[in-house]
Amino acid sequence: MIDFEKASVFKLAPCKPDAIASTVAPLIIPGEELVSSFKGARDFVVFTNKRLIAVNVQGMTGKKKDFTSLPYSRIQAFSIETAGTFDLDAELELWFSGLGKVRFEFRGGSGIRQLGHLIASYVL
């Protein structure tokens, strides 16, 4: 499982879902759709209409991948922090039942407010 305490793993920027769809396609269930995606240097996070999937690319070749599925139904609370003048990164914190806090850092201009709205629409 991904160590979510290491924020440097998740400095994410928006990317087109088509660019990573083939990697997560085997995990997608009937009725599930890709909604949004964000990519770091190698790792990425996909938001679907049912869950978020964090993908940690491992090893030198990148062939080994760790897929962590985090269903919206297990979110107890969440927080967004927008980018500021000097702190250009935005943050998303999610508290999952049975897992605890999961934190993602996004590069400024990643649309964190829209992401917060997306999560609220599935959680509330």
Side-chain angles (χ1 to χ4, degrees):
M1 178 177 223
I2 296 172
D3 180 5
F4 291 105
E5 294 302 315
K6 293 184 180 175
S8 61
V9 174
F10 293 104
K11 279 279 191 181
L12 303 164
C15 71
K16 295 184 180 189
D18 298 344
I20 45 116
S22 63
T23 305
V24 296
L27 301 171
I28 303 301
I29 62 170
E32 187 174 19
E33 301 171 4
L34 299 183
V35 177
S36 186
S37 59
F38 297 85
K39 189 168 182 6
R42 293 174 49 159
D43 304 328
F44 57 91
V45 177
V46 176
F47 292 83
T48 75
N49 59 330
K50 298 188 180 292
R51 61 185 161 162
L52 65 98
I53 302 169
V55 181
N56 181 6
V57 180
Q58 301 174 353
M60 295 294 287
T61 64
K63 289 185 179 182
K64 183 176 180 179
K65 295 174 182 68
D66 173 65
F67 296 88
T68 302
S69 176
L70 302 163
Y72 298 133
S73 64
R74 305 295 288 177
I75 295 175
Q76 294 179 316
F78 69 95
S79 168
I80 61 168
E81 181 181 301
T82 60
T85 303
F86 298 107
D87 181 7
L88 301 177
D89 295 330
E91 296 175 10
L92 170 65
E93 292 183 331
L94 306 156
W95 285 265
F96 286 88
S97 174
L99 177 63
K101 183 171 77 169
V102 173
R103 183 171 171 254
F104 298 101
E105 284 190 21
F106 297 84
R107 295 192 177 136
S110 293
I112 193 73
R113 287 188 177 126
Q114 291 85 356
L115 194 54
H117 184 74
L118 170 80
I119 292 168
S121 68
Y122 293 120
V123 173
L124 302 177

